[in-house]
Amino acid sequence: MAAVGLRRLSRALAVALSRTAAARAGQPSPESGAAKSGAGQPSPESGAGQPRAGQPSPAERLTVRRQAEGVRNIILNNPRKRNALSLAMLQSLREDLLHDVKSQDLRVIIISAEGPVFCSGHDLKELSSEDGVKYHSQVFEICAEVMTLIQKLPVPVIAKVNGLATAAGCQLVASCDIAVASEKSQFATPGVNIGLFCSTPAVALGRSLPRKVALEMLFTGEPLSAQEALMHGLVSKVVPEDKLEEETMKISNKICESSKSILALGKATFYRQMAQDLDTAYKMTTQVMADNLTLRDGQEGIEAFIQKRKPVWSHSQDKKK
């Protein structure tokens, strides 16, 4: 059962990787329907084509990816546009999430942002009648793909929020496995105020917040403070702004101490059981735990505990011989 769960995760990642490769090559992906409305056009992050007005030049990139000691930092890098999730930004974020994702050197991903706004949601200039329904559908489809991809990745994904997160930006925070926010951060879904109800952000919000809290946000557009977001479960921790980096790295470093393969199995199992009824969830997870013990790292952890030593992880999906 554990192997089955990891194989399902690998298949999902393979599909996502193929889509990214197709987009990078300028070819439509058969799964994503990218042939619609110019999905195969070069994007700013690829270094080809012309960026839309207000976006960084191709050399600047819409996202910045840095990695050291198992921790990948992905930084939304378009503060002039309030880090809006334009189609190009979403493509760049997807590429950075999937880059060498199966490597044992990658243990955790942090998503943060440049500027005073974490993310303002979709770029409304892309949602005008000028671009048409097909283009609009493409924007929403890739946004949904990125949000679901975060939960399919084999490593934990942490949102490091220092500022305002609205609409699809709030959706991004809700979609991450963990979220650490500064005290000044705020969260809102104000689409109703401009005639575009935040229906896709509602998917993530409705799975992170109590129903009445989520609906008040969606119906009024009024923001939650960082402390309110913490109280209702949208974020994991709230810290002073000058402690945000330290606290996020503290969590990341703790994650890096564990086996990547065991974390991948645990994350996939967690999200799988959330969609099941109680009896089915217990039946499935009971089998997963038994199978977990057959893995090399499962036995290594038990043996290390008994022998009072630190475990030496293989980070592999191999079974104990």
Side-chain angles (χ1 to χ4, degrees):
M1 185 71 72
V4 171
L6 288 170
R7 283 198 297 272
R8 285 178 176 170
L9 179 63
S10 296
R11 284 197 296 269
L13 289 173
V15 170
L17 285 165
S18 70
R19 289 173 177 169
T20 298
R24 192 182 303 151
Q27 299 296 322
S29 161
E31 299 93 344
S32 65
K36 301 175 182 178
S37 65
Q41 297 301 316
S43 60
E45 72 275 12
S46 69
Q50 296 299 318
R52 285 177 172 248
Q55 292 185 350
S57 68
E60 290 177 310
R61 283 186 56 87
L62 289 165
T63 60
V64 175
R65 182 183 69 241
R66 303 185 183 120
Q67 185 168 326
E69 298 181 344
V71 180
R72 175 175 300 169
N73 282 277
I74 300 175
I75 304 164
L76 307 183
N77 188 42
N78 194 7
R80 288 175 294 177
K81 295 280 286 183
R82 297 161 63 89
N83 294 311
L85 293 179
S86 62
L87 180 61
M89 174 73 90
L90 287 164
Q91 290 171 332
S92 187
L93 177 57
R94 179 179 62 181
E95 181 177 337
D96 285 345
L97 287 167
L98 286 171
H99 177 79
D100 206 14
V101 73
K102 295 182 179 180
S103 169
Q104 291 187 2
D105 293 331
L106 176 62
R107 312 297 294 286
V108 63
I109 294 172
I110 299 170
I111 300 176
S112 61
E114 286 289 346
V117 176
F118 175 77
C119 179
S120 61
H122 291 294
D123 184 345
L124 295 182
K125 289 184 178 179
E126 288 190 342
L127 304 183
S128 68
S129 58
E130 179 181 329
D131 284 308
V133 173
K134 288 185 177 180
Y135 186 86
H136 299 162
S137 295
Q138 185 189 348
V139 170
F140 294 131
E141 285 167 4
I142 191 173
C143 184
E145 180 188 337
V146 169
M147 301 302 169
T148 56
L149 171 63
I150 287 171
Q151 296 182 358
K152 293 175 183 175
L153 292 174
V155 296
V157 180
I158 303 172
K160 184 175 76 172
V161 186
N162 188 31
L164 184 63
T166 62
C170 188
Q171 179 185 4
L172 179 58
V173 176
S175 298
C176 288
D177 303 310
I178 298 170
V180 185
S182 66
E183 292 172 333
K184 73 176 186 180
S185 298
Q186 291 185 302
F187 306 86
T189 50
V192 68
N193 297 327
I194 59 166
L196 180 62
F197 197 84
C198 288
S199 295
T200 46
V203 175
L205 281 182
R207 286 161 170 76
S208 298
L209 293 168
R211 182 180 63 181
K212 290 179 174 60
V213 176
L215 287 173
E216 182 178 347
M217 289 182 69
L218 292 161
F219 291 162
T220 69
E222 289 298 305
L224 290 182
S225 68
Q227 288 296 337
E228 288 171 327
L230 176 64
M231 177 175 65
H232 295 304
L234 181 59
V235 301
S236 315
K237 290 190 175 183
V238 173
V239 296
E241 184 177 2
D242 61 357
K243 298 290 184 182
L244 183 59
E245 174 70 16
E246 178 185 335
E247 185 61 35
T248 307
M249 287 307 301
K250 180 181 176 182
I251 296 170
S252 300
N253 291 334
K254 185 63 179 176
I255 289 170
C256 287
E257 293 177 7
S258 298
S259 162
K260 178 174 182 176
S261 58
I262 300 301
L263 279 170
L265 174 62
K267 176 176 173 176
T269 302
F270 175 83
Y271 285 113
R272 186 178 167 198
Q273 65 85 25
M274 286 293 289
Q276 298 173 338
D277 64 74
L278 192 63
D279 289 341
T280 303
Y282 269 120
K283 183 177 180 180
M284 184 272 290
T285 54
T286 296
Q287 185 61 53
V288 168
M289 290 199 72
D291 291 345
N292 190 156
L293 288 172
T294 69
L295 299 179
R296 180 185 298 178
D297 281 354
Q299 283 300 306
E300 169 60 18
I302 299 295
E303 291 171 6
F305 179 82
I306 293 170
Q307 297 168 10
K308 295 181 171 56
R309 61 173 174 83
K310 287 187 176 181
V312 180
W313 305 120
S314 69
H315 303 294
S316 75
Q317 301 173 14
D318 296 340
K319 291 190 174 184
K320 177 76 172 181
K321 295 180 179 179

